[in-house]
C-alpha cells in the first residue's frame, strides 16, 4: 500500500508517513548567518502538520533536508504506541512483513548501518595522502586546511595541516608539494591509522641544493650554533631569489665601482632585500661578485656560515667523468626528484635544424641547451643543469673516447677536422667535390700490408684518378668517416683547387666572371664553412677599374638568395632584411666607399682615395677614370628573370639590343617571397605596410632585385646617407652569367623608366641625377684544362657571405632567413642599417665640412637620410614615373617608417 520503504530515502519516507497519517509533511530550508561566504551552512526544519521537529545543518540544501527528515523519523520512532521503536537492548528488530511500522523500522536500521559504514574510510597505501585527507574531512564534516610555515633554511619548504581543531606537522621538504604530503601523512596516521606504502614517501627532510653540518636540519636547532654551516650545491643567487619570492620580499643587486687596473679589475656587488642591505661581495668578474654578495646575504638571513661546495663530485658522491645525462639521472634518483627533458622545438631550415631542450629537476627549470640533433641538445641541457647544481661538468664529456685500436690507427688530431664543423666528413667530401666541380668520390675497401689489425676495417676515397690516405675504424662506417677526413684535408691543401675558373672567351664579360668566381674561391678558404660557397646558387660582385685599359679589381662581393619574414623585423636596425647576392654586394660596396672617404678626409698619403673634390663648395665625386661594373651569376629576380629560360637564351636573343615590351606583365614591379625564392607581382589592393599588420601575419613585401637595380640606375648605388657627401655613383656595365637576355634585361634595369633615346625624364631630375643605361654583357666560365662551361647552379642555402676591400677584409657569414649571425648570441651583421649608420658617423668625424657634420646632429637614422634633399626629390619623381606608366606603386613596398627611427 505504501510501497517498499526500505529502499526509500528519509525525505520520501517522511512524506509517505504524512500521507498515511493524513497530515501535511513539509521540510523548510533557510540559510544561516556565517562569517565565511564561501562556505555557507543551510538549516532545514521538518514539519508534520503544525508540529515542528529538531533543525538540521549541512553545507548543501539536499543534505540539510535529508538530515532534517532523518531527525523527524527518529523522534517519531521513539513515541509510545510502539511505532518505529528500536530495540534498546541492541538486538535485531523483529521482521514485520506487513504494515508501515515494520517497513519504517527496517528503513531506519539500514540507514543507521549505511551511515556508520559511510564514515569508515579505507584507502590503498599508494593513494595520494592530500587527496585522502580531504575526503576524510568531507565525510566527517571537518575543515581541512594546509598552511605554509616560514622555514629558516634556504631552499626548503615547510607545511602543516589543520583538521577541525587539531593541527599536525609541520613537515619540511625541498618542494612545497612534498611538504604538504608529509604533513597529510602525519594527520592520517593519527586520525585513521593509515600509512603509505613502504618507501613511497621516504624522502629526507633536507634540500637537494645544500646540506647542513653537523646533523642536518632536524638536529641543527639542538646543536651548537657556532658549529652550524651550510654547504651549497645550487647557485646562491637562485636560492636567494627563491627565498625572497616565497616570502614576498623585494630584492635588488647593486653594482659598486670596480677597483684595480684594467687588466686586473676587482668587481663589487651589494644585495638589498627589502630595506636591509648586506655585506658587499667582490670577485674578478661581475658574476663572481654577485654570487659572493648573495652568499653574504644568506649568511645574515639564516644566521649561519654559507659556502659553496668545493668538490661537488665528492659532496654528491657521484663521478663527473661520464655522460651528463647519466649523471643528472643518478642525481635525481639519489635525491628523490624527477628528472625530465622538455622539448622546446627546433629552429632553422629543414636541412640545418637546431634542436632545443631544457632540463627540469623536480620543480626547478634550468637553462636550455641546443645542438644539431636531439641527443646533443639533451647533453648540453644536462650539462648546464649540473653546472647550476654545482658540478664541474664539461659539455664534451659525452663524446666517445677512442679505443686503443683507433688511437693506434688514426692520429688523435685527425679525429674531427674543424672544416666539417661537427658534421659528417663523408657529407663534407661530397659537398666539396660538388662545389669545386670535381669528379664524384668513390669509397674503396683496401687491405694495407703493413700493421694491419684484423679487428679493424680499412677504406680509402678515390676522387678522379687520385687515391687518398687510408682510414681505419672498428666498423665500415667509422673507416669511411676517417678516410673522408683524409680526403677533405688533402683536397683543401691543393694549390690549384681555389683557382679553377677560366674565362670562356677573351671578352670583357667572360674575364670579369672568371675574376669574380676565382675571388670567391680564395675568400671561401678562410670563411666559416666558406669552402661550401664555391658552388653557391647566386653570386654578385662589384668590380672597379681605374682607367680604360686597367685590369678590374673585385672591391665587394656577396652571395645569397633569401630574405627575412615579418616576424624577424627589428626596430633597432640590427637585421639585414634582404640577403640576395646583388643587395649584399651593394651594401658591401658602401663599406668600401666609407673606407675611401675616411682616407680622403684624413689626408692619408699611403693609400690613394677614389674620391676628389673639384669644387670648393661642391660635393665629393669619383676620380677621373674610376668606374664600377656589376657581375651577377644569374638574372636578377623579378622582371629580368621570369620571362627567360634556358631554351630562349640563344645567340640571336643574346644579340638583341631593343628592350622587349610585348606583354602587360612585363615591366611590373614585383616582390620577393619570404624566406623562399621567386617573386610575385604587386597587388594594387594591398595597402601600405604597417608594423601592426606585419606582426599580425601580413606578408612582408620586399622589392625584387630587378626593381632595385632599376632604382640604382636612377638614384645611384651610394644610397641616401652618402648622397649628403658625394655625387651619385652609377655602374657602367652589368655582366650576367645564366639566363641572359638582352631585351628582357635592358627593360628590367633601365628601359622601363626611360628609353635610351628619350631624355625628357632625365632632364627633369635635379643635380647630377639621370637615368643610367649600363652596358649589358654575358660572362661564360670554363674549368681549367676543360672546354665545357661551368654550371653555377647549386642547391639553395640560407647562409649569406659578404666581403669588401678596404680596412676590414675579413669574410662575414650570417643567416639570410634570420638577418643575423647564426650563433647563440645572434650578433648583428656589419651590413645592417645600424652598423652602416655608425660607420658613416665615424667617417664624418674626420670631415671639417659643416654640411657633412649635420648627420652627427640628426635625431635618428631617418632624420639623417632626409638631409639628402636632391636624393629624396629624385626618388619621389622615380616612384611617380613608375606609377604613371602602369608598372605599379613602389609605396606598397616601402617598409614601415618606425624601422628607421633608431639612433
Amino acid at each position: 500500500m505504501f510501497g517498499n520503504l526500505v529502499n526509500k530515502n528519509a525525505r520520501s519516507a517522511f512524506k509517505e508517513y504524512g500521507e498515511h497519517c493524513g497530515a501535511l509533511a513539509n521540510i523548510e530550508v533557510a540559510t544561516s548567518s556565517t562569517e565565511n561566504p564561501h562556505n555557507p551552512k543551510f538549516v532545514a526544519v521538518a514539519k508534520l502538520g503544525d508540529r515542528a521537529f529538531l533543525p538540521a545543518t549541512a553545507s548543501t540544501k539536499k543534505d540539510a533536508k535529508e538530515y532534517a527528515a532523518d531527525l523527524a523519523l527518529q523522534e517519531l520512532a521513539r513515541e509510545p504506541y510502539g511505532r518505529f521503536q528500536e530495540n534498546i537492548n541492541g538486538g535485531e528488530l523483529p521482521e514485520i512483513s506487513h504494515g508501515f511500522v515494520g517497513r519504517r523500522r527496517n528503513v531506519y536500521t539500514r540507514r543507521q548501518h549505511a551511515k556508520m559504514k559511510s564514515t569508515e574510510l579505507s584507502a590503498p597505501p599508494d593513494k595520494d595522502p592530500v587527496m585522502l585527507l580531504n575526503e576524510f574531512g568531507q565525510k566527517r564534516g571537518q575543515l581541512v586546511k594546509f598552511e605554509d610555515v616560514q622555514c629558516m633554511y634556504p631552499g626548503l619548504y615547510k607545511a602543516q595541516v589543520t583538521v577541525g581543531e587539531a593541527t599536525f606537522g609541520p613537515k619540511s621538504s625541498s618542494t612545497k608539494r612534498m611538504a604538504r604530503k608529509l604533513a597529510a601523512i602525519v594527520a592520517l596516521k593519527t586520525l585513521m591509522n593509515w600509512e603509505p606504502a613502504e618507501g613511497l614517501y621516504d624522502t629526507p627532510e633536507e634540500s637537494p641544493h645544500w646540506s647542513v653540518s653537523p646533523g642536518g636540519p632536524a638536529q641543527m636547532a639542538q646543536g651548537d650554533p657556532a658549529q652550524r654551516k651550510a654547504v651549497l650545491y645550487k647557485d646562491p643567487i637562485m636560492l636567494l631569489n627563491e627565498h625572497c619570492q616565497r616570502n614576498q620580499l623585494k630584492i635588488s643587486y647593486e653594482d659598486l665601482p670596480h677597483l684595480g687596473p684594467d687588466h686586473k679589475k676587482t668587481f663589487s656587488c651589494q644585495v638589498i632585500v627589502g630595506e636591509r642591505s648586506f655585506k658587499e661581495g667582490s670577485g674578478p668578474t661581475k658574476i663572481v661578485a654577485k654570487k659572493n654578495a648573495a652568499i653574504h646575504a644568506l649568511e645574515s638571513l639564516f644566521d649561519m656560515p654559507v659556502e659553496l661546495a668545493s668538490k661537488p663530485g665528492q659532496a654528491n658522491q657521484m663521478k663527473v667523468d661520464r655522460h651528463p645525462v647519466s649523471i643528472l639521472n643518478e642525481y635525481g634518483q639519489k635525491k628523490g626528484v624527477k628528472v625530465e627533458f622538455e622539448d622546446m622545438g627546433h629552429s632553422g631550415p629543414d636541412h640545418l635544424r637546431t634542436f632545443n631542450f631544457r632540463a627540469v629537476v623536480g620543480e626547478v627549470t634550468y637553462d636550455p641547451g641546443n645542438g644539431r640533433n636531439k641527443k646533443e641538445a639533451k647533453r648540453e641541457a644536462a650539462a648546464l643543469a649540473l653546472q647550476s647544481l654545482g658540478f664541474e661538468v664539461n659539455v664534451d664529456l659525452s663524446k666517445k673516447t677512442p679505443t686503443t685500436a683507433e688511437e693506434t690507427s688514426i692520429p688523435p688530431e685527425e679525429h674531427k677536422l674543424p672544416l666539417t664543423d661537427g658534421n659528417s666528413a663523408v657529407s663534407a667530401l661530397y659537398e666539396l667535390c660538388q662545389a669545386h666541380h670535381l669528379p664524384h668520390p668513390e669509397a674503396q675497401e683496401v687491405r694495407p700490408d703493413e700493421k694491419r689489425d684484423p679487428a679493424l676495417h680499412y677504406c680509402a676515397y678515390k676522387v678522379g684518378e687520385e687515391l687518398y690516405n687510408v682510414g681505419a675504424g672498428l666498423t665500415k662506417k667509422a673507416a669511411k668517416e676517417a678516410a673522408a677526413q683524409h680526403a677533405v684535408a688533402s683536397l683543401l691543401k691543393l694549390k690549384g683547387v681555389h683557382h679553377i675558373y677560366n674565362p670562356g672567351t677573351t671578352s670583357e664579360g667572360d674575364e670579369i666572371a672568371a675574376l669574380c668566381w676565382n675571388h670567391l674561391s680564395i675568400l671561401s678558404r678562410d670563411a666559416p664553412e666558406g669552402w661550401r660557397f664555391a658552388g653557391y646558387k647566386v653570386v654578385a660582385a662589384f668590380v672597379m677599374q681605374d682607367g680604360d685599359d686597367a685590369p678590374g679589381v673585385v672591391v665587394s662581393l656577396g652571395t645569397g638568395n633569401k630574405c627575412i619574414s615579418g616576424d624577424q623585423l627589428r626596430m633597432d636596425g640590427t637585421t639585414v632584411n634582404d640577403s640576395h647576392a646583388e643587395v649584399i654586394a651593394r651594401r658591401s660596396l658602401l663599406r668600401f666607399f666609407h673606407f675611401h672617404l675616411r682616407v680622403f678626409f684624413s689626408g692619408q698619403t699611403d693609400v690613394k682615395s677614389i674620391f676628389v673634390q673639384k669644387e670648393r663648395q661642391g660635393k665629393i665625386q669619383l676620380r677621373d677614370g674610376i668606374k664600377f661594373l656589376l657581375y651577377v651569376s644569374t638574372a636578377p629576380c623579378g622582371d629580368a628573370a621570369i620571362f627567360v629560360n634556358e631554351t630562349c637564351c640563344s645567340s640571336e636573343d643574346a644579340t638583341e639590343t631593343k628592350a622587349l615590351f610585348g606583354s602587360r606583365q612585363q615591366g611590373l614591379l614585383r616582390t620577393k617571397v619570404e624566406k623562399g625564392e621567386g617573386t610575385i607581382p604587386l597587388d594594387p589592393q594591398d595597402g601600405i605596410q604597417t608594423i601592426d599588420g606585419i606582426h599580425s601575419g601580413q606578408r612582408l613585401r620586399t622589392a625584387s632585385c630587378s626593381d632595385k637595380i632599376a632604382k640604382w640606375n636612377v638614384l645611384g648605388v651610394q644610397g641616401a646617407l652618402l648622397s649628403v657627401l658625394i655625387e651619385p655613383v652609377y655602374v657602367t656595365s652589368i655582366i650576367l652569367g645564366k639566363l641572359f637576355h638582352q631585351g628582357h634585361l635592358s627593360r628590367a634595369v633601365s628601359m622601363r623608366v626611360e628609353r635610351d633615346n628619350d631624355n625628357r625624364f632625365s632632364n627633369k631630375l635635379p643635380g647630377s641625377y639621370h637615368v643610367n643605361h649600363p652596358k649589358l654583357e654575358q660572362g661564360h666560365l670554363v674549368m681549367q684544362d676543360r672546354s665545357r662551361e661551368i654550371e653555377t647552379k647549386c642547391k639553395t642555402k640560407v647562409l649569406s657571405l659578404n666581403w669588401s676591400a678596404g680596412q676590414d677584409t675579413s669574410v662575414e657569414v650570417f643567416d639570410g632567413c634570420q638577418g643575423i649571425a647564426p650563433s647563440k648570441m645572434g650578433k648583428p651583421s656589419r651590413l645592417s642599417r645600424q652598423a652602416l649608420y655608425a660607420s658613416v658617423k665615424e667617417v664624418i668625424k674626420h670631415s671639417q665640412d659643416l654640411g657633412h657634420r649635420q648627420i652627427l646632429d640628426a635625431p635618428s637614422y631617418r632624420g639623417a637620410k632626409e638631409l639628402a634633399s636632391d636624393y629624396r626629390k629624385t626618388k619621389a619623381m622615380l616612384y611617380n614615373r613608375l606609377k604613371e606608366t602602369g608598372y605599379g606603386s613602389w609605396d606598397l613596398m616601402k617598409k614601415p617608417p618606425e624601422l628607421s627611427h633608431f639612433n
Side-chain angles (χ1 to χ4, degrees):
M1 175 178 178
F2 302 103
N4 187 5
L5 298 179
V6 176
N7 296 325
K8 292 185 180 292
N9 54 35
R11 288 175 294 164
S12 300
F14 181 65
K15 288 183 180 181
E16 285 201 17
Y17 178 80
E19 293 176 1
H20 174 70
C21 298
L24 178 62
N26 187 25
I27 302 176
E28 296 180 356
V29 180
T31 304
S32 65
S33 60
T34 177
E35 296 179 356
N36 187 0
H38 301 288
N39 189 19
K41 298 294 184 180
F42 296 91
V43 179
V45 178
K47 292 184 177 181
L48 185 61
D50 297 332
R51 181 182 178 184
F53 297 91
L54 294 176
T57 304
S59 59
T60 62
K61 292 183 179 181
K62 181 179 178 181
D63 291 343
K65 289 181 178 182
E66 186 74 13
Y67 297 158
D70 206 8
L71 291 175
L73 292 174
Q74 292 182 33
E75 189 172 347
L76 291 172
R78 289 192 293 269
E79 290 182 355
Y81 317 114
R83 293 179 296 176
F84 300 108
Q85 281 190 344
E86 298 180 281
N87 191 342
I88 61 175
N89 295 325
E92 294 185 0
L93 293 173
E95 188 69 28
I96 303 176
S97 59
H98 300 285
F100 176 77
V101 177
R103 295 180 184 274
R104 183 57 230 169
R105 235 186 293 178
N106 290 337
V107 171
Y108 182 75
T109 303
R110 297 195 181 190
R111 181 170 302 281
Q112 291 296 325
H113 288 292
K115 187 174 182 180
M116 292 175 60
K117 185 177 181 181
S118 64
T119 59
E120 295 178 2
L121 287 178
S122 61
D126 58 347
K127 189 169 183 177
D128 186 274
V130 176
M131 184 183 300
L132 181 59
L133 186 60
N134 287 329
E135 292 179 1
F136 175 85
Q138 292 177 0
K139 292 290 186 180
R140 295 297 177 90
Q142 295 178 332
L143 179 64
V144 178
K145 184 178 180 181
F146 287 90
E147 296 177 342
D148 295 328
V149 182
Q150 184 176 3
C151 185
M152 59 179 298
Y153 309 115
L156 203 62
Y157 295 87
K158 274 190 177 183
Q160 67 182 15
V161 61
T162 302
V163 183
E165 301 296 333
T167 301
F168 303 92
K171 301 294 288 184
S172 59
S173 181
S174 59
T175 64
K176 185 183 299 184
R177 181 182 300 176
M178 184 57 67
R180 292 190 173 188
K181 288 185 178 181
L182 295 177
I185 292 174
V186 174
L188 291 172
K189 288 181 179 179
T190 304
L191 295 175
M192 52 180 296
N193 198 25
W194 179 88
E195 291 188 2
E198 184 178 358
L200 186 60
Y201 296 103
D202 294 342
T203 57
E205 295 189 35
E206 60 184 16
S207 173
H209 311 306
W210 57 272
S211 64
V212 180
S213 59
Q219 301 178 11
M220 263 188 60
Q222 304 175 0
D224 185 4
Q227 298 180 358
R228 298 184 306 178
K229 182 176 65 174
V231 180
L232 303 183
Y233 308 131
K234 187 178 180 179
D235 192 329
I237 300 175
M238 298 179 64
L239 281 175
L240 183 60
N241 291 339
E242 291 174 2
H243 169 76
C244 294
Q245 183 179 9
R246 182 167 67 247
N247 295 279
Q248 297 181 356
L249 298 174
K250 183 179 179 181
I251 182 173
S252 61
Y253 296 87
E254 181 179 351
D255 292 330
L256 302 178
H258 56 77
L259 303 175
D262 293 338
H263 67 281
K264 193 176 181 182
K265 291 182 179 180
T266 300
F267 297 90
S268 300
C269 181
Q270 187 177 33
V271 179
I272 302 175
V273 178
E275 302 295 334
R276 185 179 177 186
S277 300
F278 299 94
K279 180 182 176 181
E280 63 183 49
S282 60
T285 62
K286 289 186 177 181
I287 187 63
V288 174
K290 192 174 182 180
K291 286 184 178 181
N292 291 332
I295 291 177
H296 293 324
L298 290 172
E299 289 177 344
S300 299
L301 287 172
F302 299 102
D303 192 22
M304 70 178 77
V306 177
E307 64 180 22
L308 292 175
S310 58
K311 295 182 179 180
Q314 296 178 1
N316 291 279
Q317 298 181 359
M318 293 185 183
K319 296 181 180 180
V320 293
D321 55 352
R322 292 175 291 108
H323 199 289
V325 177
S326 300
I327 301 174
L328 188 61
N329 288 331
E330 291 183 5
Y331 172 84
Q333 291 177 1
K334 179 184 177 183
K335 297 298 181 180
V337 293
K338 187 176 182 181
V339 176
E340 293 179 330
F341 289 92
E342 181 179 345
D343 189 352
M344 301 180 64
H346 56 79
S347 59
D350 292 341
H351 64 284
L352 195 64
R353 287 183 175 178
T354 299
F355 294 89
N356 302 281
F357 277 83
R358 64 181 180 183
V360 181
V361 181
E363 295 183 350
V364 181
T365 303
Y366 296 94
D367 294 337
N370 54 56
R372 297 295 297 274
N373 52 55
K374 292 184 178 181
K375 185 177 180 180
E376 292 181 2
K378 286 185 178 180
R379 180 189 67 204
E380 184 174 349
L384 293 174
L386 289 172
Q387 290 173 357
S388 299
L389 292 171
F391 290 85
E392 296 179 0
V393 180
N394 187 356
V395 179
D396 297 331
L397 282 176
S398 62
K399 293 183 178 180
K400 178 182 176 182
T401 304
T403 60
T404 305
E406 291 175 330
E407 291 177 350
T408 56
S409 61
I410 307 175
E413 63 272 9
E414 295 182 4
H415 285 171
K416 184 64 67 174
L417 295 179
L419 58 93
T420 62
D421 195 28
N423 299 328
S424 170
V426 177
S427 300
L429 176 61
Y430 278 85
E431 289 189 26
L432 181 62
C433 293
Q434 181 187 14
H436 294 290
H437 311 286
L438 300 175
H440 189 76
E442 299 179 1
Q444 298 182 354
E445 292 190 13
V446 295
R447 296 179 177 272
D449 297 332
E450 299 179 358
K451 298 181 180 180
R452 182 175 182 270
D453 189 342
L456 297 179
H457 296 268
Y458 296 89
C459 177
Y461 270 95
K462 184 177 183 182
V463 180
E465 301 298 328
E466 183 72 20
L467 184 66
Y468 294 96
N469 292 342
V470 178
L474 295 177
T475 63
K476 290 183 178 180
K477 183 177 180 180
K480 286 185 177 181
E481 185 75 10
Q485 289 280 343
H486 291 300
V488 171
S490 300
L491 284 173
L492 290 181
K493 291 179 182 178
L494 292 178
K495 295 182 179 181
V497 71
H498 296 289
H499 305 273
I500 61 175
Y501 303 104
N502 282 337
T505 63
T506 57
S507 66
E508 183 183 31
D510 292 353
E511 291 179 353
I512 294 296
L515 175 67
C516 295
W517 277 96
N518 284 326
H519 192 77
L520 173 63
S521 298
I522 297 173
L523 293 177
S524 61
R525 184 171 187 176
D526 299 325
E529 284 197 356
W531 58 274
R532 306 175 188 271
F533 286 88
Y536 211 86
K537 190 166 187 179
V538 184
V539 177
F542 280 91
V543 179
M544 185 184 74
Q545 292 182 338
D546 191 358
D548 295 335
D549 299 330
V553 178
V554 178
V555 294
S556 70
L557 185 143
T559 67
N561 60 345
K562 297 291 184 182
C563 60
I564 68 172
S565 57
D567 56 353
Q568 301 297 331
L569 281 178
R570 296 294 180 269
M571 306 285 284
D572 55 359
T574 55
T575 57
V576 180
N577 299 337
D578 189 349
S579 298
H580 282 230
E582 300 91 324
V583 180
I584 295 299
R586 181 252 174 184
R587 298 182 78 86
S588 299
L589 180 65
L590 297 182
R591 299 183 66 248
F592 176 72
F593 286 168
H594 295 172
F595 169 73
H596 279 273
L597 282 172
R598 188 181 294 107
V599 172
F600 173 77
F601 288 136
S602 60
Q604 296 182 17
T605 57
D606 54 339
V607 179
K608 186 177 182 181
S609 175
I610 64 173
F611 294 108
V612 294
Q613 191 172 14
K614 296 183 178 180
E615 300 180 6
R616 185 173 183 180
Q617 300 298 330
K619 288 186 177 181
I620 302 170
Q621 53 187 300
L622 293 176
R623 283 193 290 107
D624 293 337
I626 297 292
K627 59 181 180 180
F628 292 94
L629 299 81
L630 172 62
Y631 169 77
V632 187
S633 60
T634 187
C637 65
D639 190 52
I642 59 175
F643 303 104
V644 186
N645 53 47
E646 295 290 345
T647 58
C648 78
C649 293
S650 61
S651 59
E652 287 187 8
D653 296 326
T655 57
E656 180 65 41
T657 58
K658 295 182 179 179
L660 295 181
F661 293 91
S663 170
R664 292 184 178 180
Q665 299 295 323
Q666 295 176 349
L668 294 179
L669 298 178
R670 304 178 71 88
T671 63
K672 298 172 182 175
V673 178
E674 292 180 329
K675 293 187 178 181
E677 298 183 63
T679 59
I680 57 177
L682 275 175
D683 188 353
Q685 303 298 327
D686 291 337
I688 61 174
Q689 300 189 97
T690 62
I691 290 292
D692 297 341
I694 294 173
H695 287 173
S696 300
Q698 184 185 37
R699 184 178 66 86
L700 181 65
R701 296 189 290 273
T702 303
S704 66
C705 292
S706 296
D707 299 337
K708 290 189 175 182
I709 294 177
K711 181 179 177 180
W712 300 342
N713 279 323
V714 179
L715 300 173
V717 296
Q718 78 286 342
L721 278 179
L722 291 185
S723 296
V724 181
L725 312 178
I726 66 176
E727 294 286 353
V729 178
Y730 298 101
V731 295
T732 58
S733 298
I734 297 179
I735 298 97
L736 219 62
K738 289 295 181 178
L739 301 180
F740 176 82
H741 192 285
Q742 184 90 10
H744 292 304
L745 183 61
S746 61
R747 178 195 68 247
V749 300
S750 63
M751 292 292 191
R752 53 177 166 169
V753 180
E754 183 184 69
R755 305 297 173 90
D756 54 356
N757 56 357
D758 183 7
N759 296 327
R760 288 178 293 177
F761 179 68
S762 295
N763 295 333
K764 298 178 182 179
L765 298 178
S768 303
Y769 292 96
H770 63 277
V771 180
N772 178 52
H773 297 286
K775 179 182 177 181
L776 306 180
E777 299 181 78
Q778 186 175 16
H780 299 275
L781 292 175
V782 296
M783 292 182 63
Q784 287 184 355
D785 302 329
R786 298 190 184 186
S787 59
R788 71 177 180 89
E789 187 177 348
I790 289 295
E791 176 63 51
T792 59
K793 288 184 178 180
C794 188
K795 62 183 181 180
T796 302
K797 297 182 179 180
V798 299
L799 297 182
S800 176
L801 176 146
N802 68 82
W803 172 89
S804 65
Q807 185 175 6
D808 182 9
T809 58
S810 62
V811 176
E812 183 188 60
V813 178
F814 65 90
D815 191 328
C817 292
Q818 303 289 333
I820 55 177
S823 65
K824 296 181 181 179
M825 300 299 296
K827 181 181 179 182
S829 169
R830 62 189 180 189
L831 299 186
S832 63
R833 289 179 298 169
Q834 185 190 75
L836 292 178
Y837 185 32
S839 178
V840 169
K841 286 185 174 181
E842 291 296 325
V843 171
I844 295 177
K845 289 180 181 179
H846 296 85
S847 174
Q848 303 301 322
D849 193 319
L850 296 179
H852 298 166
R853 300 184 72 85
Q854 291 180 1
I855 295 180
L856 299 178
D857 301 329
S860 64
Y861 174 73
R862 183 181 182 87
K865 292 173 63 176
E866 290 179 350
L867 296 175
S869 56
D870 288 348
Y871 184 92
R872 290 192 296 110
K873 184 177 179 181
T874 304
K875 182 170 65 172
M877 296 175 66
L878 170 63
Y879 291 173
N880 291 333
R881 173 78 172 180
L882 293 172
K883 188 174 182 180
E884 291 172 357
T885 51
Y887 293 131
S889 174
W890 198 292
D891 293 335
L892 301 181
M893 295 188 293
K894 286 183 179 179
K895 298 296 187 295
E898 293 86 353
L899 300 179
S900 300
H901 288 168
F902 64 89
N903 189 355

